[in-house]
Amino acid sequence: MSTKTTPDYSFEAAAHARGFHSVAGVDEVGRGPLCGPVTAAAVILDPAYIPQGLNDSKKLSAKRRAGLVEAIKEHSIWCVAHASVEEIDALNIYHASHLAMVRAVAGLSRQADYALVDGNRVPKDLQIASEPVVKGDGRSVSIAAASILAKEERDALMVSLAQQYPQYGWEQNAGYPTVQHLAALAEFGVTPVHRKSFKPVHNILCQVKI
């Protein structure tokens, strides 16, 4: 039995066949980092112009992603949204990522009437019909497009934050717990943009209090 190696428009076409008109792909990035917001994007593609080469953002080079961002933004309806570090610490990363997804869908300039959401659950506060698509960024072109926009936006934000806090290497690690990041965290401590509820950060804060 063959399996798809690249995403296609079949999930979107099935939704259209059931009577839905504006189908948005939704994805988030940034659950794993120790700092910075979690970022989500929602994209309604134009079925007459689907950029070539859409795929899971993790499978694409930075140069390829950058080129696709331009094509996606030019030929689709899209929105990128965030949930802050404070919201992550208050809600937990799972609920914060869903909050970012809901914000991305709500921010679309033309409201979607159906959402294809990457993962095995859809946000409970999503106000439109939806379905979860496991590993959706490798199966649905709309979700792939959303994954690309979300990753590029968050990576750029982490590069910007790295200018304020250069010791941690965020321009390279995007806030993920690399050896460099963990060593800098131990040496220089916790910044205001670190997620205090995440164990490596929480442990350092506990040591400081002692």
Side-chain angles (χ1 to χ4, degrees), residues 22-28 39-44 77-82 96-118 121-131 142-143 146 149-150:
S22 296
V23 181
V26 186
D27 199 5
E28 54 75 27
T39 302
V43 177
I44 303 173
I77 295 167
W78 60 274
C79 179
V80 177
H82 310 276
S97 66
H98 278 201
L99 175 62
M101 288 181 175
V102 170
R103 286 173 173 164
V105 172
L108 291 166
S109 61
R110 186 182 83 213
Q111 186 57 54
D113 59 3
Y114 197 82
L116 299 168
V117 180
D118 184 56
R121 291 186 181 179
V122 299
K124 63 180 177 60
D125 294 326
L126 209 53
Q127 298 297 308
I128 59 174
S130 56
E131 70 174 291
S142 298
I143 297 176
L149 292 192

Side-chain angles (χ1 to χ4, degrees), residues 157-168:
L157 180 61
M158 294 310 299
V159 169
S160 178
L161 287 173
Q163 309 307 307
Q164 300 176 51
Y165 305 100
Q167 306 97 321
Y168 301 87

Side-chain angles (χ1 to χ4, degrees), residues 12 23 33 36 43 46 49 61-62 95 100 102 105 110 134-135 138 155 167 171 190 195 202:
E12 294 83 348
V23 181
V43 177
D46 178 356
Y49 185 92
S61 68
H95 290 107
V102 170
V105 172
R110 186 182 83 213
V134 176
K135 297 183 179 178
D155 283 358
Q167 306 97 321
E171 72 281 0
V190 176
R195 302 172 179 178
H202 177 75

Side-chain angles (χ1 to χ4, degrees), residues 19-199:
F20 296 102
H21 301 288
S22 296
V23 181
V26 186
D27 199 5
E28 54 75 27
V29 298
R31 283 197 187 194
L34 303 180
C35 58
V38 61
T39 302
V43 177
I44 303 173
L45 290 174
D46 178 356
Y49 185 92
I50 297 174
Q52 293 296 307
L54 290 175
N55 207 337
D56 175 356
S57 61
K58 298 182 291 297
K59 296 180 180 178
L60 301 171
S61 68
K63 182 178 180 180
R64 184 69 182 125
R65 283 197 306 270
L68 283 167
V69 163
E70 293 184 22
I72 294 165
K73 288 184 174 181
E74 184 177 354
H75 296 282
S76 70
I77 295 167
W78 60 274
C79 179
V80 177
H82 310 276
S84 69
V85 170
E86 292 77 16
E87 288 169 327
I88 292 169
D89 287 338
L91 300 173
N92 76 37
I93 187 60
Y94 172 78
H95 290 107
S97 66
H98 278 201
L99 175 62
M101 288 181 175
V102 170
R103 286 173 173 164
V105 172
L108 291 166
S109 61
R110 186 182 83 213
Q111 186 57 54
D113 59 3
Y114 197 82
L116 299 168
V117 180
D118 184 56
N120 59 6
R121 291 186 181 179
V122 299
K124 63 180 177 60
D125 294 326
L126 209 53
Q127 298 297 308
I128 59 174
S130 56
E131 70 174 291
V133 184
V134 176
K135 297 183 179 178
D137 45 10
R139 301 170 69 195
S140 156
V141 283
S142 298
I143 297 176
S147 80
I148 292 166
L149 292 192
K151 178 168 176 54
E152 285 297 288
E153 179 93 5
R154 190 180 186 283
D155 283 358
L157 180 61
M158 294 310 299
V159 169
S160 178
L161 287 173
Q163 309 307 307
Q164 300 176 51
Y165 305 100
Q167 306 97 321
Y168 301 87
W170 296 337
E171 72 281 0
Q172 295 176 317
N173 61 46
Y176 283 88
T178 61
V179 172
Q180 176 195 11
H181 188 181
L182 291 173
L185 197 55
E187 181 175 355
F188 300 106
V190 176
T191 73
V193 296
H194 273 101
R195 302 172 179 178
K196 297 175 179 60
S197 57
F198 276 45
K199 190 173 181 179

